[in-house]
Amino acid sequence: MSVRVRRIYEAPEPDDGLRVLVDRLWPRGVTKEAAHVDEWPKGLTPSAELRTWFHRGGSYEEFRARYETELDAPEAAELLDGLRESVRKGPVTLLTATKAPERSHAQVLLELLGG
């Protein structure tokens, strides 16, 4: 199993495997052609309310707990299971525009996927 997180602003690499955008909004300044995104499961991303709460100063630990609760919802759980299946088949790169991927929803997903 191979899964990792990269910023979408970084150039694609041959070993990226399946490239999955895990942000709800399309990143500014990146064309769809340049991004080389294979999947964009918006239902797997944090809700707008949670994202806003976190960006207004919420703690990462609380954000993580709330996000994991959101991931238990049927649609998100199904998408997460699909992503787990993709990871079993080959390399997966989770793409995000966040400036600090290590303290974001992408990191939570990475850890839930065994990365």
Side-chain angles (χ1 to χ4, degrees), residues 64-105:
R64 180 186 183 93
R66 290 182 185 190
Y67 181 44
E68 287 181 359
T69 298
E70 289 186 356
L71 290 172
D72 288 336
E75 178 189 4
E78 185 176 330
L79 289 168
L80 187 57
D81 286 344
L83 203 49
R84 283 187 179 110
E85 183 61 31
S86 294
V87 170
R88 282 192 280 279
K89 292 178 181 176
V92 172
T93 299
L94 305 177
L95 302 168
T96 183
T98 186
K99 292 179 183 176
E102 67 281 355
R103 292 188 54 82
S104 74
H105 65 289

Side-chain angles (χ1 to χ4, degrees), residues 50 52-67 103-104:
L50 180 56
T52 299
W53 173 84
F54 184 50
H55 290 300
R56 289 186 176 159
S59 75
Y60 177 71
E61 292 73 23
E62 180 68 19
F63 167 79
R64 180 186 183 93
R66 290 182 185 190
Y67 181 44
R103 292 188 54 82
S104 74

Side-chain angles (χ1 to χ4, degrees), residues 6 11 21 30 43 47 49-50 61 66 76 78 91 100:
R6 296 186 64 219
L21 178 61
V30 177
S47 66
E49 296 82 11
L50 180 56
E61 292 73 23
R66 290 182 185 190
E78 185 176 330

